[in-house]
Amino acid sequence: MSTIPKEITTASGKKLELRELDPGDMLDLIEVAGSAMQSASAGAWMGYAQMICSVDAIDGVPVEMPATKEQVKQVARRIGNDGIVALQAVFYPPKKPDTPEQPGAADVDMETAKN
């Protein structure tokens, strides 16, 4: 069951077609990340790259799944700043004021690290 829309439109009118990454795609993305997975910013890099790699087409032009970090950067540049803002709204929607706080993966990792 997909939780992301099939298409979003950026503030400048660019249309981004989206797809939900499957487990195989995520393994490919981890392989692409390579040395980035060894840094303290691995979680941030993966979250950002996952958003970028979910773009299946830009204005109807297909986007291939990146196979290198440089290709992830190239897709990010094609998406542009307003595209990233639109993707963040989908992947990281603002919390509703009446929603109870749920621990995220990063919170669980921090709790584990404290122990």
Side-chain angles (χ1 to χ4, degrees):
M1 178 168 83
S2 179
T3 58
I4 61 174
K6 291 286 185 195
E7 182 178 280
I8 59 175
T9 303
T10 69
S12 66
K14 190 181 296 181
K15 298 213 181 293
L16 305 177
E17 294 176 32
L18 306 178
R19 68 184 182 99
E20 192 165 342
L21 299 181
D22 65 29
D25 294 329
M26 289 303 296
L27 288 171
D28 289 341
L29 185 54
I30 291 167
E31 189 174 335
V32 166
S35 63
M37 294 305 292
Q38 303 302 316
S39 73
S41 61
W45 193 94
M46 282 299 292
Y48 208 74
Q50 184 177 0
M51 282 190 323
I52 291 163
C53 292
S54 72
V55 175
D56 205 28
I58 301 171
D59 289 331
V61 178
V63 174
E64 289 188 38
M65 179 73 170
T68 66
K69 282 192 266 188
E70 186 57 38
Q71 288 175 351
V72 172
K73 289 179 193 177
Q74 289 171 1
V75 173
R77 288 183 181 109
R78 286 181 56 203
I79 292 168
N81 289 332
D82 67 330
I84 295 297
V85 169
L87 287 169
Q88 286 174 330
V90 169
F91 282 84
Y92 305 104
K95 292 179 184 170
K96 295 176 184 165
D98 59 340
T99 304
E101 192 73 25
Q102 295 290 326
D107 297 329
V108 172
D109 289 344
M110 287 303 289
E111 287 302 314
T112 302
K114 289 179 187 176
N115 293 328

